[in-house]
Amino acid sequence: MNDNAYMMTPAEQTVSKCARLYTSYGYHRFLMNKFEDYSLYADNKSFLVDDRLLTFTDGGKLKALKPDITLSIVKNLAKDQHLPLKVFYNETVYRVKKGDREFSELHQMGLELIGDNSLYAVTEVVSLAKATLDAVNEQNILDISHMGILSALIDDACKCGVNREELTAMILQKNADSIATLLAQSGCTSPLATLVASYSPISEMIPVLKTLLPQSRAVCELAQVAEVLQNLGLDQNVYLDFSLMHDIGYYNGIIFKGYLKGVPVAVLSGGRYDPLLDRFGLSAAAIGFALYLDYIRYNSVLPENDVLLLYSEQDSALDVALAMRKLTAQGKPVMAAAQAPANRSFSQILKVQEVLS
Amino acid sequence: MIRIALPKGRLGDKVLAMFENAGYACPEIHTPSRKLVFSTDKVSYFFVKPSDVPIYVERGVADVGVAGSDILVEHEPDVYSLLDLGIGRCRLCVAAKEEFKDDFVSPLRVATKFKNTAAKYYASCGRTIDIIKLNGSIELAPILGLSDVIVDIVETGTTLKENGLVVKQEILPISARLIANKSAYKFNSTEISELLQKLQAQREV
């Protein structure tokens, strides 16, 4: 067991690994207040996972504890900084988890890249998302989708009279069978059901997409990203999944979600969100992601190589201190106690006089 | 191996037959015993309370499961709903005593198991309601005057009829759905797609 494993929880180790990774790519740590004006969230409710907020008044102004980080970064930083802006954060947010009734304090780490419209910027963030998953657990999958492809196909279907809300719900449920029925009823010919049903590695799926949607600029962008990832050898366990969709009012380009084997929900979520900047009067490209550390489940790592230094009434305080000094100098974690606590195990149990003799 | 959560009861038996015909047989399940989990090297089945199926699937201890769309609409679990199995068909309806007419003067008293779905339905109609959450024998509520109407599942309508109740509105049609855990789908996509195709073929039989 290395020192890190001994002194830090698995979540702290993940944070440390990711912080090192993001820093090496020129992202700066961004520290934040715990709260914002309530209006920031009230105006952007559908950007949030859940619209319930923990609010309080401050000198007559209504404030809320942060349920989200991206909104704060855009509001506070993007306006005043010289772009491009590359920041990462490691913060606590306060919100109601899906299916819960009560507020939770959730640990979230992520990064944002604002003000770079290039293909490189997209591939950098997507590959950092994959590297983030790799840092937690090698058995992971990154799903990619594209809002441009989905919104164009949904718009087409709506022109045929399909109900947008109903169709969107079916897409999110990966219910290709019902989508096919719904589209057929409206006489709409669309590859949407085929795309939603498919789930394939990105490199296999790109040629299929090019055949289904030969004119699409979004497909072209996806293909370029896929090519870069492939050339870098980063396309392993990267899949295309068109049942993945974010809110259309905030997201426009490539979007993605990350999964770990054995964790039932997505632990990472992100994408391109230019329309959000637009709402703040900024015309710039923006892409980022967040890792939800509370969803990750680690194997138990109770330290077992501790030494117990057992002292009795006969041992003087000085003797115990000297024995401790001798043992800790050997680099071993030592706990001095008059009796062994029942809930801990030790690799070695020593008495004071044994150590000093 | 795919882990499958099936609903206990009549629907579960039908669904199991469908899975077995699709090539996912498990002979052990038919021998009388007190076991709760039945496994072969290909599948592992367990039967749970119908309304608990989405919980097992959402939490990832079952890769897939079968649940009525009534339960999915009510609880909105974060799962894929891959296929309408075309069985267990019934309707979620508003029912009341034949002579009942809504006067729109006082809040409508609604007895139901499906609190969220009923609330959403009446909100969409702009009708103020007083919800009474019950866990069974819903038909009793209007008979005893506990509620004005009930929102409940209607299969043949016999129970309603025998108790002097009639369907006033239909809220939504219901059928059994194949659901899947999102993460399990990613890591077992080949097996789950194969299962999906075979069940699709069964449905058409």
Side-chain angles (χ1 to χ4, degrees):
Chain A
M1 194 181 284
N2 64 30
D3 282 352
N4 274 348
Y6 207 80
M7 290 182 291
M8 295 157 89
T9 65
E12 285 166 343
Q13 289 174 56
T14 302
V15 168
S16 158
K17 272 193 233 171
C18 293
R20 200 166 295 152
L21 173 70
Y22 305 155
T23 310
S24 71
Y25 273 78
Y27 289 75
H28 282 176
R29 173 76 190 270
F30 181 51
L31 274 168
M32 269 171 280
N33 263 338
K34 293 248 176 291
F35 50 86
E36 285 278 3
D37 285 345
Y38 172 78
S39 60
L40 174 65
Y41 305 117
D43 294 344
N44 293 289
K45 270 190 175 169
S46 52
F47 186 71
L48 305 173
V49 179
D50 185 278
D51 61 9
R52 281 166 284 184
L53 297 167
L54 279 176
T55 56
F56 60 98
T57 49
D58 181 16
K61 275 188 111 178
L62 191 57
K63 303 272 188 182
L65 285 175
K66 279 197 168 77
D68 165 87
I69 305 293
T70 307
L71 279 172
S72 300
I73 291 182
V74 171
K75 175 183 155 266
N76 299 324
L77 267 184
K79 270 189 217 168
D80 309 325
Q81 298 273 329
H82 297 292
L83 300 179
L85 174 72
K86 295 193 181 194
V87 288
F88 76 92
Y89 58 84
N90 170 31
E91 297 283 338
T92 306
V93 294
Y94 304 87
R95 58 178 168 80
V96 182
K97 278 195 278 184
K98 205 179 173 299
D100 272 7
R101 287 185 182 176
E102 282 151 18
F103 278 88
S104 299
E105 193 177 332
L106 297 169
H107 188 180
Q108 188 172 318
M109 185 171 199
L111 64 78
E112 315 289 349
L113 194 171
I114 298 171
D116 187 343
N117 194 21
S118 68
L119 175 67
Y120 172 72
V122 176
T123 53
E124 177 177 287
V125 173
V126 172
S127 45
L128 284 173
K130 185 69 175 72
T132 300
L133 293 172
D134 289 339
V136 186
N137 181 346
E138 280 172 13
Q139 287 186 295
N140 65 65
I141 283 176
L142 185 73
D143 280 353
I144 295 187
S145 176
H146 200 295
M147 290 301 289
I149 297 175
L150 285 168
S151 56
L153 290 174
I154 293 171
D155 285 348
D156 286 349
C158 291
K159 278 179 207 153
C160 300
V162 172
N163 180 300
R164 184 178 290 268
E165 213 174 304
E166 201 179 346
L167 182 60
T168 307
M170 286 174 180
I171 292 172
L172 292 171
Q173 292 179 338
K174 216 175 180 52
N175 194 345
D177 189 55
S178 300
I179 294 173
T181 313
L182 187 71
L183 294 175
Q185 279 167 357
S186 310
C188 177
T189 49
S190 163
L192 195 54
T194 316
L195 288 183
V196 171
S198 68
Y199 187 71
S200 310
I202 188 163
S203 37
E204 279 175 31
M205 194 60 195
I206 292 292
V208 181
L209 268 183
K210 282 183 173 164
T211 330
L212 287 173
L213 301 162
Q215 307 293 327
S216 168
R217 271 178 53 199
V219 169
C220 188
E221 188 192 7
L222 263 185
Q224 287 173 318
V225 172
E227 198 187 332
V228 176
L229 292 178
Q230 202 171 357
N231 283 322
L232 292 171
L234 293 173
D235 61 333
Q236 291 296 307
N237 298 324
V238 179
Y239 283 70
L240 276 188
D241 182 357
F242 288 102
S243 71
L244 165 57
M245 192 176 161
H246 291 338
D247 189 293
I248 210 160
Y250 293 92
Y251 290 91
N252 55 333
I254 281 184
I255 53 169
F256 46 89
K257 270 194 177 179
Y259 292 85
L260 302 176
K261 193 168 171 80
V263 179
V265 294
V267 295
L268 182 143
S269 177
R272 179 88 181 253
Y273 56 90
D274 305 358
L276 174 65
L277 270 79
D278 206 40
R279 287 174 179 240
F280 286 87
L282 295 158
S283 169
I287 182 166
F289 62 82
L291 175 71
Y292 305 108
L293 285 127
D294 300 280
Y295 296 149
I296 304 169
R297 290 180 64 185
Y298 298 96
N299 294 328
S300 170
V301 284
L302 285 176
E304 281 175 357
N305 64 342
D306 285 11
V307 175
L308 176 66
L309 177 67
L310 211 53
Y311 59 82
S312 65
E313 282 173 17
Q314 281 80 46
D315 298 315
S316 72
L318 178 64
D319 279 353
V320 180
L322 287 171
M324 276 301 279
R325 183 187 277 180
K326 193 172 169 186
L327 285 173
T328 51
Q330 294 166 12
K332 287 179 191 164
V334 193
M335 176 180 171
Q339 58 186 35
N343 62 344
R344 281 181 66 165
S345 55
F346 297 91
S347 64
Q348 213 179 355
I349 299 177
L350 296 168
K351 289 187 176 150
V352 174
Q353 294 314 318
E354 284 170 6
V355 177
L356 294 179
S357 61
Chain B
M1 186 175 67
I2 308 183
R3 298 164 304 166
I4 305 173
L6 294 181
K8 267 184 197 162
R10 219 158 15 117
L11 178 63
D13 298 340
K14 275 192 201 171
V15 172
L16 179 64
M18 206 169 165
F19 275 74
E20 291 191 310
N21 292 335
Y24 296 84
C26 181
E28 194 191 2
I29 232 169
H30 301 288
T31 55
S33 83
R34 292 194 173 196
K35 277 182 80 170
L36 296 170
V37 182
F38 304 92
S39 307
T40 66
D41 48 0
K42 199 173 170 188
V43 279
S44 175
Y45 288 109
F46 48 92
F47 288 89
V48 299
K49 195 175 168 182
S51 57
D52 285 345
V53 170
I55 301 173
Y56 284 81
V57 175
E58 190 177 24
R59 291 278 177 165
V61 289
D63 301 319
V64 299
V66 173
S69 48
D70 50 331
I71 295 160
L72 300 177
V73 170
E74 175 68 12
H75 299 292
E76 298 185 334
D78 187 18
V79 295
Y80 289 139
S81 173
L82 299 173
L83 185 67
D84 182 344
L85 293 173
I87 53 175
R89 285 195 189 282
C90 49
R91 301 168 295 157
L92 190 70
C93 295
V94 178
K97 283 185 184 170
E98 186 148 25
E99 63 274 21
F100 174 76
K101 282 199 172 59
D102 192 355
D103 57 9
F104 293 92
V105 173
S106 44
L108 185 70
R109 294 172 307 155
V110 183
T112 185
K113 258 195 248 187
F114 302 94
K115 218 178 142 191
N116 300 331
T117 316
K120 213 180 266 178
Y121 170 71
Y122 282 106
S124 75
C125 309
R127 180 76 174 101
T128 316
I129 57 168
D130 173 14
I131 286 216
I132 303 153
K133 166 87 166 81
L134 295 177
N135 296 304
S137 307
I138 317 287
E139 298 84 4
L140 204 54
I143 298 169
L144 298 180
L146 177 64
S147 75
D148 302 314
V149 300
I150 61 171
V151 168
D152 203 16
I153 288 169
V154 180
E155 218 174 316
T156 56
T158 318
T159 318
L160 288 183
K161 208 172 170 186
E162 282 174 2
N163 290 292
L165 303 175
V166 292
V167 170
K168 297 281 182 182
Q169 282 104 28
E170 187 181 317
I171 299 181
L172 53 101
I174 292 163
S175 59
R177 308 293 166 106
L178 177 74
I179 59 173
N181 175 272
K182 289 188 174 178
S183 181
Y185 183 91
K186 317 286 166 196
F187 292 96
N188 308 292
S189 57
T190 323
E191 290 99 320
I192 294 179
S193 306
E194 191 188 325
L195 170 72
L196 178 65
Q197 275 170 14
K198 288 182 174 166
L199 287 175
Q200 228 158 352
Q202 274 305 307
R203 189 186 57 176
E204 265 114 55
V205 169

